[in-house]
Amino acid sequence: MNHEVTNQTPPIAGTNAWRSDPLLMQLGEGFSEVARKDLDLLGKFARNPEALDLARLANSESPKLRTHDRQGRRLDQVEFHPAYHALMRRSVALGIHSSIWENNESEKGHRHQIRAARFYMTAGLECGHLCPVTMTSASLAALMASPKLFREWAPRVTTRKYDQASKPPVEKSGLTIGMGMTEKQGGTDVRANTTKAERVGNGFYRLTGHKWFMSAPMSDAFLVLGQAPEGLSCFLVPRILSDGSANGLHFQRLKDKLGNRSNASSEVEIDGAIGEMVGEPGGGVRTIMDMVTLTRLDCALGNAGIMRAGLAEAVHHARHRQVFGSALIDQPLMSRVLADMALDVAAATALSLRLARAFDEAANDRTEAAFARAMTPVVKYWTCKIAPALIYEAMECLGGNGYVEEAPLARHYREVPVNAIWEGSGNVMALDVLRVLKRGRGPFEEVLGWIERELGASGPGTTQVLRAAMDVAVEDEGSARILTEQLALAAAAAELKRLGAGQIADAFAETRLGGQWRTTYGMLGARYDARMIVDSLYPEVN
């Protein structure tokens, strides 16, 4: 080497994702001491050099499908790099796949919120392996429609033990559950599914057909939609039967995806697979709705966590990089770009955790129940929509160093679109908002009442605009995205106000609700203290 390397940013490794996130720590102030200590340990792990390398390897060494063995027998096995299994082992041990279903005293009253904080920080490390984690947690909501199945499967899921072996479920120390919903001809329109389910007796059916996307194909069982004589129904289909034989799930190939590469997604032919009905005959869509609601929360949390991690990289770089004789972060344009992005990340974080709080309190509070019902598609829509542009801008802050694969930003940039597409794209979310609205304004009026109270003086004007947007959307379906985004921005501003975020909340509300035309970041005016915003939300913490 013929020169000394200077003015290169030191690695972010060795810091703590929990301690360096004051907003997340504030949201966790009501958690038990045990939970906060666990989150502190997770925050340390998420920035551990070895953990960051596991995240890199799990994606660079992508899963491989082995359809047959060397003698030509069907295998239908997907091989993962050990880094993937290490990440799965850690997340399962933390209970991210099961904690909301456990009777853990240290998480009482905050189960969804504590899990949300864990999910958020883990997503910032590596989000692909969280796909089977999400599906397992959410699948138990669907299994509650069949108490017998829930009693059989939930105890095996909640062991917090990750068992990667291909064995019958009864022989394993821990289980994961996947989903098989969409088909070639229908996609989101699952009612167009053609997979057939023929009754064989005692609540069991034989399924024949295909699924176009079946992620985490090494799950121990799958919730599958199929056409029974009574109509579209939901079935629990084990991958391996109790006698050790394969259950007719023939994986054709793995999807070559833009991102989410650590997680395998497969196309599968279903050849006489045995499944047990979940819920009522013909009630498949109704059976999976609670499950879908939980997965949508995770989509929002995942992208919020990735945005936090991506912007943390950009701020870290800007603090250490010298340009034109001073730190990059001291350059007025850069500080305003970072501050502008920080407002959106703070809003996405607060809004996603606000939804988790609604899930925790819905059973005992009418407003929280209304928030969970009306705002789940809203929160998923907005948090997922803003992520690609924000991660790109964070990448640009690093310049060429952000564009290379050695940096995590390239992986984050490829990852975030999947959370917008999975469990309902933007149009589907907007249509879900309309569906709830057309059934009655009650839930939205509860939400608007909360927004108005939290926003204070600007509340009545904001809710007046939202009610007008509702009137338009009821008559003009094509305007549903406008309503959905306005609801998200208003709710995020209200939650930041509730948290006492002061100038940060004011800056977000005034720039996002004020009507200014914005297409890129860095549009904050001089009256906002950009450096204060960045330093408050991204303090220098070792």
Side-chain angles (χ1 to χ4, degrees):
M1 185 171 183
N2 60 8
H3 71 279
E4 181 183 358
V5 177
T6 61
N7 200 27
Q8 284 286 344
T9 307
I12 200 170
T15 56
N16 187 312
W18 168 254
R19 295 186 185 184
S20 61
D21 193 338
L23 179 59
L24 186 63
M25 291 183 71
Q26 180 184 353
L27 288 164
E29 285 177 353
F31 300 169
S32 69
E33 184 178 353
V34 171
R36 291 197 305 274
K37 284 183 177 179
D38 285 348
L39 290 168
D40 185 37
L41 289 173
L42 175 56
K44 184 178 181 180
F45 172 77
R47 296 277 179 83
N48 180 284
E50 288 77 15
L52 293 168
D53 208 41
L54 291 176
R56 177 186 65 82
L57 285 167
N59 285 272
S60 63
E61 306 299 320
S62 55
K64 305 291 190 297
L65 172 63
R66 295 181 64 204
T67 57
H68 295 79
D69 68 12
R70 64 191 181 92
Q71 283 91 15
R73 304 182 191 92
R74 285 210 71 95
L75 273 181
D76 295 300
Q77 295 284 325
V78 179
E79 295 177 343
F80 295 87
H81 190 274
Y84 170 87
H85 292 303
L87 292 167
M88 282 292 294
R89 195 174 299 113
R90 180 83 183 201
S91 291
V92 168
L94 288 169
I96 304 177
H97 74 304
S98 65
S99 60
I100 61 173
W101 305 103
E102 299 170 11
N103 189 23
N104 190 329
E105 189 63 30
S106 66
E107 299 181 13
K108 188 175 182 180
H110 300 94
R111 288 191 179 95
H112 284 280
Q113 295 166 83
I114 292 170
R115 178 188 177 275
R118 290 184 181 127
F119 194 98
Y120 171 90
M121 284 193 287
T122 304
L125 171 63
E126 203 290 311
C127 200
H129 82 284
L130 289 175
C131 176
V133 169
T134 286
M135 292 192 296
T136 300
S137 178
S139 291
L140 291 179
L143 290 185
M144 288 189 73
S146 293
K148 171 182 170 290
L149 286 173
F150 186 85
R151 288 193 301 270
E152 290 175 0
W153 286 78
R156 302 175 191 170
V157 168
T158 57
T159 60
R160 295 200 180 192
K161 294 180 180 179
Y162 175 61
D163 187 345
Q164 69 195 63
S166 286
K167 297 189 295 188
V170 293
E171 298 179 14
K172 297 188 64 171
S173 58
L175 303 178
T176 58
I177 303 175
M179 303 174 190
M181 305 294 168
T182 59
E183 298 182 4
K184 294 184 183 76
Q185 72 285 349
T188 300
D189 183 10
V190 294
R191 295 184 189 277
N193 283 9
T194 60
T195 295
K196 298 296 183 185
E198 299 177 1
R199 189 182 292 109
V200 295
N202 297 322
F204 289 93
Y205 289 72
R206 190 179 300 278
L207 281 74
T208 303
H210 82 281
K211 296 299 169 184
W212 191 226
F213 273 88
M214 183 180 274
S215 288
M218 290 296 96
S219 298
D220 296 294
F222 303 90
L223 289 171
V224 176
L225 289 176
Q227 298 287 357
E230 300 86 355
L232 188 68
S233 304
C234 183
F235 302 88
L236 182 66
V237 179
R239 182 167 59 86
I240 299 176
L241 296 173
S242 58
D243 63 0
S245 61
N247 190 23
L249 299 176
H250 301 323
F251 302 116
Q252 305 300 296
R253 61 173 178 169
L254 299 184
K255 299 289 191 181
D256 187 8
K257 298 175 292 186
L258 168 69
N260 195 244
R261 289 186 171 272
S262 64
N263 172 49
S265 298
S266 67
E267 297 170 19
V268 61
E269 293 290 329
I270 305 173
D271 184 14
I274 298 297
E276 196 166 355
M277 186 173 284
V278 182
E280 295 296 321
V285 172
R286 184 170 60 252
T287 299
I288 67 171
M289 282 315 298
D290 285 343
M291 174 182 74
V292 168
T293 297
L294 291 174
T295 58
R296 288 175 175 176
L297 169 61
D298 280 6
C299 289
L301 289 167
N303 270 15
I306 293 172
M307 286 191 286
R308 172 74 197 188
L311 186 51
E313 290 277 350
V315 173
H316 179 76
H317 174 82
R319 283 199 172 114
H320 291 88
R321 184 78 165 180
Q322 294 290 313
V323 178
F324 307 127
S326 62
L328 181 57
I329 198 169
D330 292 328
Q331 302 291 336
L333 270 173
M334 179 57 74
S335 66
R336 291 195 193 182
V337 168
L338 293 171
D340 209 6
M341 287 193 287
L343 294 177
D344 271 357
V345 176
T349 301
L351 190 57
S352 299
L353 270 292
R354 172 67 183 89
L355 183 58
R357 178 161 65 90
F359 285 13
D360 274 326
E361 300 177 6
N364 302 308
D365 188 302
R366 187 174 69 181
T367 297
E368 298 305 311
F371 196 99
R373 184 183 178 200
M375 295 298 287
T376 296
V378 171
V379 175
K380 179 187 184 294
Y381 175 92
W382 183 73
T383 303
C384 291
K385 282 291 178 192
I386 67 170
L390 189 138
I391 294 295
Y392 158 71
E393 195 73 60
M395 188 186 302
E396 187 175 297
C397 291
L398 274 70
N401 284 351
Y403 192 65
V404 296
E405 290 293 343
E406 289 92 339
L409 286 167
R411 170 163 52 85
H412 292 332
Y413 187 61
R414 291 194 305 271
E415 186 75 26
V416 289
V418 74
N419 285 321
I421 294 168
W422 192 37
E423 295 301 349
S425 61
N427 283 350
V428 173
M429 293 302 96
L431 289 172
D432 271 9
V433 172
L434 280 188
R435 177 179 55 82
V436 177
L437 179 61
K438 289 178 178 179
R439 287 181 177 177
R441 291 202 175 196
F444 286 98
E445 287 299 330
E446 288 283 345
V447 172
L448 294 190
W450 172 80
I451 290 173
E452 188 167 311
R453 290 192 299 273
E454 299 300 343
L455 286 181
S458 64
T462 299
T463 54
Q464 183 180 0
V465 171
L466 291 173
R467 288 189 176 93
M470 288 182 192
D471 292 339
V472 172
V474 168
E475 300 299 326
D476 176 17
E477 183 179 288
S479 71
R481 281 189 175 218
I482 297 173
L483 169 62
T484 303
E485 180 161 312
Q486 288 178 332
L487 282 167
L489 294 171
E495 180 64 1
L496 288 172
K497 285 275 194 180
R498 186 191 73 83
L499 292 168
Q503 294 180 57
I504 293 169
D506 290 341
F508 179 84
E510 291 168 15
T511 56
R512 273 60 174 176
L513 297 177
Q516 300 99 322
W517 179 251
R518 302 166 48 83
T519 59
T520 58
Y521 286 102
M523 301 295 166
L524 290 180
R527 65 195 185 95
Y528 301 108
D529 189 340
R531 189 61 188 270
M532 180 279 298
I533 292 170
V534 175
D535 289 342
S536 297
L537 293 170
Y538 294 81
E540 291 191 78
V541 178
N542 294 325

